[in-house]
Amino acid sequence: MTDYRIGIDVGGTNTDAVVMDGDDNLLAKTKTPTTEDITSGILSALDVVLDDSGVSEDELDYVMLGTTHATNAITERRGLNEVGVIRIGAPATQSIRPLLEWPDDLAAAIGNNVAILDGGHEFDGRLLNDLDEEQVRAQIREFSDVDAFAVTSVFSPVRDDHETRVAELIREEVGDDVPISVSNEIGSVGLLERENATALNAALTSVASEAANAFVEAMDERGIDANLYFGQNDGTLMSVDYAIRYPIFTVASGPSNSVRGAAYLSQVENGIIVDVGGTTTDVGAVTEGFPRESSVAVEIGEVKTNFRMPDIIAIGIGGGSIVSTDGGVTVGPQSVGYKLTEEARCFGGETLTATDLEVAAGTIDIGSETPAVDDEIVEAAREYVRERVEREVDRMKTSADPVPVVIVGGGSILVPDDIAGASEVHKPDHYEVANAVGVAIAQVSGEVDRIYSLDEMDREGAIQHAKDEATDNALAAGADPDSVDIVDIEEVPLSYLPGNAVRIKVKAAGALDH
């Protein structure tokens, strides 16, 4: 059986789609404007690639989607759940309350319902304080208006007993219909950042359900009975059910898909990826074919978090970027976005965009007319783009040595072929749909990030425990049991903690489960 599959990536400006066969050959591709309701844009792209490829709906085995639903909901403070945020850690953690550093409007959007209750553990698993179940039940009843819960306990990545029990108590009090996010499944060590990630995840559960339902309904509307997957932040896939439980893992799926797709199309396993879209340019690093993970806390919607996120720098330059000539030539960060075909001069509009400059220079031929733009403006804008991209490529490198640079995305024409600091510059075939290719070829992964006390088990036992848990997480996300491999192990001795403590991070990945 040929595994025909479709990869779809929904960006701020364009929705890209590709059809690929079981040997990873690209059979058809398209780039269509993203629509306001998103679903109709997905259907439009779907229809084009099915028609061009000659693959019928009933021949499709997989459809993979990279979506910006979760990111947009956080940015726009729209559609978020009202969350009951419960921290288990009193009296030790009462000096800083939950959500303290959140922007006021975002905290208000999720209800600002917070509580710090007795319980929690030390780094080595020893009890910090007993869990008071009656106190927990009373607090759950007090959160009568919430429609999601976020539970965070001190050092739960080491020992999750209290989080698990609180989740059970919530189900006993309010039933199984209210989603519960527990922090040991989402973030790593670092109480406040893990708590933030967990609260954001809980806030996104309704948004994720809506996105998943729209995805499923779009496929049903076209009579497609295929396995459906969402792209996630590390460049791998997760099942629809998994995405509904952990929507926070989708927020950076777009840039991650581009990194994976660019690495595959260029055959560059280690280097820098520059993805030029319609609104932004994302600069990331690829390591052994996967996006390099950020080693520092990442801000989402101005909230600091510590779960798995790609190391990405975004700059406000893209094909739809508005060119300003006031006090010198600048490009972006304002963009016409998905209205490029209405507002850009080359399409009869009145806004000068980065795309107009390339049309005026004759490097691309799109639109209905050629804008009249002075050569000096074109050259100054190109130099502005070059300098911005070179600066971010330099920031992304881990040494001063030149490295391969791969340029992809629909706006790639904006970036020159000679970039300072690059050993070679690739613009591979199908570069404009690298993000859709990335989600179409993706594997399924699982990850674990825990602290182990080597006073209680030996090093080999700790590493094996982490491997087993990462493998279980990959299987839960939809991986084929026979194909799962450990793709990354990171071990960090924690000398600042008493006792013999070590932090172990393990990632497992495998092919889709047929």
Side-chain angles (χ1 to χ4, degrees), residues 150-216:
V151 182
T152 306
S153 180
V154 177
F155 281 113
S156 62
V158 177
R159 188 162 178 179
D160 59 13
D161 307 32
H162 286 180
E163 283 188 358
T164 302
R165 182 55 186 152
V166 171
E168 291 171 354
L169 294 173
I170 292 171
R171 291 190 182 95
E172 289 174 14
E173 291 291 327
V174 302
D176 295 330
D177 294 335
V178 176
I180 304 166
S181 298
V182 291
S183 77
N184 72 86
E185 297 176 352
I186 293 168
S188 58
V189 290
L191 174 65
L192 297 179
E193 292 87 351
R194 174 161 43 89
E195 182 175 67
N196 289 342
T198 308
L200 282 175
N201 189 77
L204 289 167
T205 46
S206 289
V207 171
S209 293
E210 287 173 16
N213 290 336
F215 187 25
V216 171

Side-chain angles (χ1 to χ4, degrees), residues 235-497:
T236 61
L237 299 171
M238 55 183 167
S239 66
V240 172
D241 290 342
Y242 199 83
I244 292 172
R245 284 182 62 196
Y246 306 111
I248 197 72
F249 292 156
T250 70
V251 295
S253 62
S256 295
N257 292 338
S258 295
V259 171
R260 283 280 287 154
Y264 171 76
L265 292 171
S266 64
Q267 298 301 298
V268 172
E269 292 282 294
N270 297 278
I272 305 297
I273 309 298
V274 179
D275 176 26
V276 191
T279 307
T280 60
T281 292
D282 294 322
V283 182
V286 61
T287 304
E288 304 302 329
F290 283 90
R292 185 174 76 202
E293 191 171 319
S294 177
S295 59
V296 297
V298 174
E299 285 198 359
I300 300 173
E302 300 175 57
V303 174
K304 198 172 285 188
T305 65
N306 68 352
F307 63 102
R308 58 178 184 266
M309 284 284 284
D311 193 359
I312 298 289
I313 299 171
I315 53 177
I317 291 176
S321 292
I322 296 172
V323 179
S324 172
T325 55
D326 295 336
V329 177
T330 58
V331 182
Q334 289 77 25
S335 172
V336 297
Y338 64 82
K339 294 183 178 179
L340 179 71
T341 54
E342 301 169 25
E343 298 188 10
R345 289 188 189 176
C346 61
F347 289 100
E350 297 184 358
T351 305
L352 182 63
T353 68
T355 298
D356 292 318
L357 300 182
E358 297 304 325
V359 174
T363 52
I364 53 174
D365 181 19
I366 62 171
S368 55
E369 55 190 81
T370 302
V373 185
D374 290 343
D375 291 344
E376 293 81 4
I377 293 177
V378 173
E379 287 309 310
R382 283 177 164 175
E383 195 57 31
Y384 180 88
V385 172
R386 175 203 293 276
E387 288 176 1
R388 290 293 308 277
V389 170
E390 287 179 347
R391 191 187 315 157
E392 304 313 332
V393 166
D394 204 47
R395 285 178 62 193
M396 190 57 60
K397 290 160 62 177
T398 54
S399 75
D401 298 333
V403 297
V405 174
V406 184
I407 302 171
V408 294
S412 293
I413 192 71
L414 303 180
V415 181
D417 290 335
D418 51 330
I419 295 176
S423 59
E424 51 189 337
V425 176
H426 299 262
K427 285 187 181 176
D429 291 340
H430 315 304
Y431 64 86
E432 74 279 15
V433 290
N435 44 10
V437 170
V439 74
I441 64 164
Q443 293 178 299
V444 182
S445 75
E447 194 169 280
V448 66
D449 183 349
R450 287 190 175 275
I451 295 176
Y452 292 88
S453 172
L454 299 188
D455 291 337
E456 297 183 1
M457 68 172 74
D458 60 18
R459 175 177 173 274
E460 289 73 20
I463 290 175
Q464 190 59 51
H465 184 275
K467 285 181 176 180
D468 292 343
E469 191 167 337
T471 300
D472 289 344
N473 290 342
L475 297 177
D480 179 355
D482 296 329
S483 70
V484 176
D485 290 316
I486 303 300
V487 296
D488 189 40
I489 298 178
E490 186 178 325
E491 183 181 0
V492 182
L494 300 178
S495 56
Y496 59 87
L497 289 178

Side-chain angles (χ1 to χ4, degrees), residues 80-84 143-149 177-179 202 205-206:
L80 301 174
N81 289 68
E82 184 155 337
V83 182
F143 284 157
S144 56
D145 294 332
V146 308
D147 51 13
F149 283 88
D177 294 335
V178 176
T205 46
S206 289

Side-chain angles (χ1 to χ4, degrees), residues 124-143:
D124 57 1
R126 288 179 293 127
L127 190 67
L128 181 67
N129 196 8
D130 288 321
L131 183 69
D132 185 338
E133 295 196 2
E134 284 310 310
Q135 181 191 39
V136 173
R137 289 185 187 275
Q139 185 61 60
I140 295 166
R141 289 192 287 268
E142 191 173 318
F143 284 157

